Amino acid sequence: MALAGFVVAETRAASPMFNLDLLRIPSFAAAAVVALAGMFGFIGTAYCVSIRLGAVMHLSALRAGMPFVILQLIALLLAPVLSRMLTRVDARWLLMGGLLPMAAGQFWIAALPITTTSLAAFIGPVLLLGIGFICVVSSLTSAAVNAVPIHMTGMASGATSLVREFGQGLGPAVISTIAMSATSSALAGKLNGADAGMEAAAGPLAVVNAGSDSARAAAQTALGHGMALGVVICGCASLFGALVTLLLVRKNTARAAVGAGGEPSVRAATA
């Protein structure tokens, strides 16, 4: 209801906060879709990895957090390099160069057995995720901004940030639902007595932490299946974003065109 009200208000406003004509520009709309898919997949993967290492495999907070430390170090080291690359390379190619490694890292994580707790086993996929993440974040705004008339640059940048944050919020919500639903389906009929009651009341994570030995083993296997499915979906989201980028994201050749009133024309950008 709030979204519908926002759309109505923006279409009637003399100076809208978000000009809906931006969505008629194919490259900008595509960049928004890529922002949503890319961040959905990245944060959804982060959710699965954190739950897997912490709540399922019971690693200490320090060990469970190390993959994320490495992930952020990669971003910290590459950010200055990418900022210079953006002045020389089309943001579209950097965007694809981020989404494809992200997808590879996500599928790699999905293939790791649930019992894998060695940090060494996660270094490869985490490196791919880290490189992909910083490439995507660095180039997303540039790709979106380059798709719109110059006078809408600020609006396009803000809208892209909003869509990116929405994807980050949506990822854990959707992936957790899918992963836990798949886990419960895999556990169906394998628990009995108090363990079955615990699963019904509190879910698979309660069983893997407080159930009997046999129930814990069954819950661990089921959670491995559910988490892997969630990460595979995240990888598919990254691949979808790469495909959209390849087919639709382009620079706006009309940025230099001047429309009525001395400003670039939205109509020219949609052509």
Side-chain angles (χ1 to χ4, degrees):
M1 290 175 65
L3 179 61
F6 175 79
V7 170
V8 171
E10 294 302 283
T11 54
R12 296 179 177 180
S15 181
M17 181 167 60
F18 177 64
N19 191 330
L20 297 177
D21 284 342
L22 280 176
L23 297 177
R24 298 179 183 177
I25 303 174
S27 289
F28 175 79
V33 169
V34 172
L36 181 65
M39 293 302 100
F40 171 92
F42 178 77
I43 302 298
T45 301
Y47 161 80
C48 287
V49 172
S50 63
I51 295 297
R52 168 182 173 152
L53 295 179
V56 179
M57 298 311 300
H58 308 118
L59 298 188
S60 67
L62 180 61
R63 289 187 63 193
M66 282 308 296
F68 299 97
V69 173
I70 296 172
L71 193 69
Q72 296 304 320
L73 283 175
I74 295 168
L76 185 65
L77 292 172
L78 290 182
V81 177
L82 289 171
S83 65
R84 290 194 294 271
M85 286 183 66
L86 278 170
T87 63
R88 304 175 183 177
V89 180
D90 190 341
R92 172 194 181 199
W93 300 117
L94 282 179
L95 196 51
M96 284 190 62
L99 290 163
L100 292 176
M102 270 180 57
Q106 287 157 337
F107 291 130
W108 190 344
I109 288 173
L112 293 175
I114 188 64
T115 53
T116 302
T117 58
S118 169
L119 179 61
F122 281 90
I123 288 179
V126 165
L127 283 173
L128 290 172
L129 276 174
I131 293 169
F133 173 72
I134 189 59
C135 285
V136 170
V137 170
S138 298
S139 55
L140 257 177
T141 300
S142 180
V145 164
N146 286 337
V148 304
I150 293 173
H151 72 292
M152 288 186 166
T153 294
M155 189 180 294
S157 176
T160 303
S161 296
L162 176 63
V163 173
R164 189 173 61 202
E165 295 296 329
F166 179 57
Q168 291 177 351
L170 197 63
V174 173
I175 296 302
S176 63
T177 301
I178 293 172
M180 291 306 162
S181 296
T183 299
S184 295
S185 297
L187 268 179
K190 295 182 179 179
L191 303 178
N192 50 57
D195 293 323
M198 184 184 302
E199 198 278 331
L205 287 175
V207 178
V208 84
N209 282 280
S212 64
D213 290 343
S214 60
R216 287 184 184 185
Q220 186 182 82
T221 301
L223 282 162
H225 165 71
M227 295 294 168
L229 176 61
V231 177
V232 165
I233 292 173
C234 292
C236 290
S238 296
L239 285 180
F240 173 72
L243 181 62
V244 171
T245 300
L246 177 64
L247 297 178
L248 297 175
V249 175
R250 297 287 187 278
K251 278 188 176 181
N252 177 13
T253 56
R255 279 175 70 88
V258 178
E263 291 186 330
S265 169
V266 175
R267 184 173 298 174
T270 62

